[in-house]
Amino acid sequence: MSTKDFIEKDYYKVLGVPKDATEAEIKKAYRKLAREFHPDANKGNAKAEERFKEISEANDVLGDPKKRKEYDEARALFGNGGFRPGPGAGGSFNFDLGDLFGGQGGAGGSFGGGLGDVFGGLFNRGGGAGTRTQPRRGQDIESEVTLSFMEAVDGATVPLRMSSQSPCKACSGTGDKNGTPRVCPTCVGTGQVARGSGGGFSLTDPCPDCKGRGLIAEHPCEVCKGSGRAKSSRTMQVRIPAGVSDGQRIRLRGKGAPGERGGPAGDLYVVVHVNPHPVFGRKGDNLTVTVPVTFAEAALGADIRVPTLGGPPVTLKLPPGTPNGRTMRARGKGAVRKDGTRGDLLVTVEVSVPKDVSGKARDALEAYREATADEDPRAELFQAAKGA
């Protein structure tokens, strides 16, 4: 990304959140947009793919408190159009952002290293031209994994096969088959070139000749065509922690694409999808289950056996006169929390009405109906409707 792009891009607008949005609001907005524009859900849609990249780029900055602070400071400093000479500033106003990054001011003296620190954190590079050819951090990678309901509750180790750009093994990442690339004469090894934007204001872009590498291969590697990077695939075992929920995004530091010229690896982001369970549901750290009971059990009370996820059944005491839809709690039978403890199992009672009643059961119900003929369960309903 060029400095101009960085200054002009409004990441808050990309995610559709206000500038004072909380981390939770940013995360929620990203997840919603990522699902909508993910390449897997929009196969062959180039616009959706480009939109997904913009969303990921915005989240990488705003989702990291440190980067977000640096971004806000830089935007406040440059605004949307960079520095402009004020009224009465007489004469020309020659200004190069490269001077700021290098810690040198205009004709008047030194700006110090503050801006180099601000932009260095966002672009993974140092302040001056002498440091821009330093090791480069690898790209972040995003992948997806689908877990069973049980795996999401208890945690699981899953294999992930990932493809990414890494240093070419044939040329050791130099881009030259002899391993002897030369310094780019256009950018003099910085990987950046200055571009005027009018009024003496200067911005920097990646060098078009060396594509931002600072090096040019005299004898291009046949494998990577002189880029120094090659597509590689690898399978790694990833531990998904217990208690993850559907749609959760997990960050694994240093598990992304390898860095360039000895730089650190990027991060791996894993989006988790959880298959539903035929019996159990999930509400935060608690599991849910609906248990049918007979009318007699609900009316007279009973001890009922309730299944648990992956464990033996538990027995709950149903008090007499239990209404349909009442929820009881089996403590410690839910999902695993972050601290290692477990949530609860929420048991909802559903009174089961038989389709066919015959014989002694029918006679008993007829006798019960006669015995309760004076009771009208809807009397209060009509009274309330009349009073309203």
Side-chain angles (χ1 to χ4, degrees), residues 356-381:
D356 298 315
V357 181
S358 59
K360 293 182 179 180
R362 186 177 184 84
D363 293 340
L365 285 176
E366 291 288 357
Y368 173 78
R369 181 160 59 181
E370 290 180 8
T372 58
D374 296 335
E375 298 179 11
D376 185 359
R378 294 172 290 280
E380 292 184 3
L381 177 67

Side-chain angles (χ1 to χ4, degrees), residues 38-364:
H38 196 283
D40 289 348
N42 299 272
K43 296 187 182 299
N45 189 334
K47 290 185 178 180
E49 183 176 354
E50 187 63 30
R51 177 77 169 119
F52 180 76
K53 291 179 180 178
E54 292 179 353
I55 294 165
S56 298
E57 181 182 306
N59 183 66
D60 285 341
V61 175
L62 300 185
D64 185 314
K66 182 179 178 181
K67 287 185 179 181
R68 182 182 180 183
K69 181 175 181 294
E70 294 170 345
Y71 171 72
D72 288 342
E73 290 176 351
R75 292 275 292 182
L77 179 62
F78 289 105
N80 290 325
F83 284 117
R84 289 186 173 86
S92 63
F93 187 73
N94 295 313
F95 204 91
D96 192 329
L97 290 182
D99 294 335
L100 285 176
F101 294 146
Q104 299 299 318
S110 173
F111 278 84
L115 291 179
D117 294 338
V118 170
F119 286 95
L122 287 164
F123 296 110
N124 303 304
R125 65 179 184 231
T131 60
R132 288 182 190 167
T133 55
Q134 293 297 313
R136 183 180 298 176
R137 179 180 180 274
Q139 291 182 336
D140 292 337
I141 299 176
E142 182 162 302
S143 185
E144 294 182 293
V145 64
T146 300
L147 303 178
S148 68
F149 192 89
M150 177 76 80
E151 289 174 327
V153 171
D154 293 337
T157 299
V158 297
L160 280 183
R161 183 170 180 81
M162 298 172 295
S163 297
S164 64
Q165 293 290 324
S166 61
C168 176
K169 294 182 180 180
C171 64
S172 300
T174 64
D176 191 290
K177 65 181 180 181
N178 297 329
T180 56
R182 64 184 176 89
V183 175
C184 174
T186 303
C187 64
V188 197
T190 66
Q192 302 287 328
V193 292
R195 175 168 57 86
S197 63
F201 194 94
S202 181
L203 297 167
T204 57
D205 281 333
C207 177
D209 293 333
C210 66
K211 304 299 188 291
R213 298 186 66 238
L215 302 172
I216 290 181
E218 290 282 3
H219 307 284
C221 171
E222 296 177 357
V223 176
C224 66
K225 310 302 180 186
S227 69
R229 311 287 287 181
K231 188 174 183 180
S232 64
S233 297
R234 56 183 173 134
T235 301
M236 62 184 299
Q237 299 295 319
V238 175
R239 178 63 187 175
I240 305 298
V244 294
S245 56
D246 184 53
Q248 186 171 340
R249 189 170 184 253
I250 300 173
R251 180 184 184 184
L252 300 175
R253 295 181 182 274
K255 299 299 182 181
E260 188 173 345
R261 295 190 292 275
D267 298 333
L268 170 63
Y269 293 88
V270 181
V271 178
V272 179
H273 301 289
V274 181
N275 286 328
H277 193 280
V279 174
F280 297 96
R282 180 90 176 268
K283 184 181 291 185
D285 295 327
N286 298 323
L287 299 181
T288 62
V289 64
T290 298
V291 177
V293 297
T294 66
F295 172 76
E297 289 174 328
L300 303 177
D303 291 335
I304 60 172
R305 295 176 73 242
V306 177
T308 62
L309 183 66
V314 294
T315 300
L316 295 181
K317 188 173 186 61
L318 203 66
T322 297
N324 183 60
R326 170 172 287 183
T327 297
M328 298 181 295
R329 187 182 299 266
R331 299 193 179 278
K333 300 300 180 179
V336 179
R337 299 190 180 101
K338 291 182 179 179
D339 60 2
T341 61
R342 283 185 174 270
D344 302 330
L345 176 63
L346 305 180
V347 182
T348 300
V349 172
E350 183 179 77
V351 177
S352 177
V353 178
K355 294 181 179 180
D356 298 315
V357 181
S358 59
K360 293 182 179 180
R362 186 177 184 84
D363 293 340

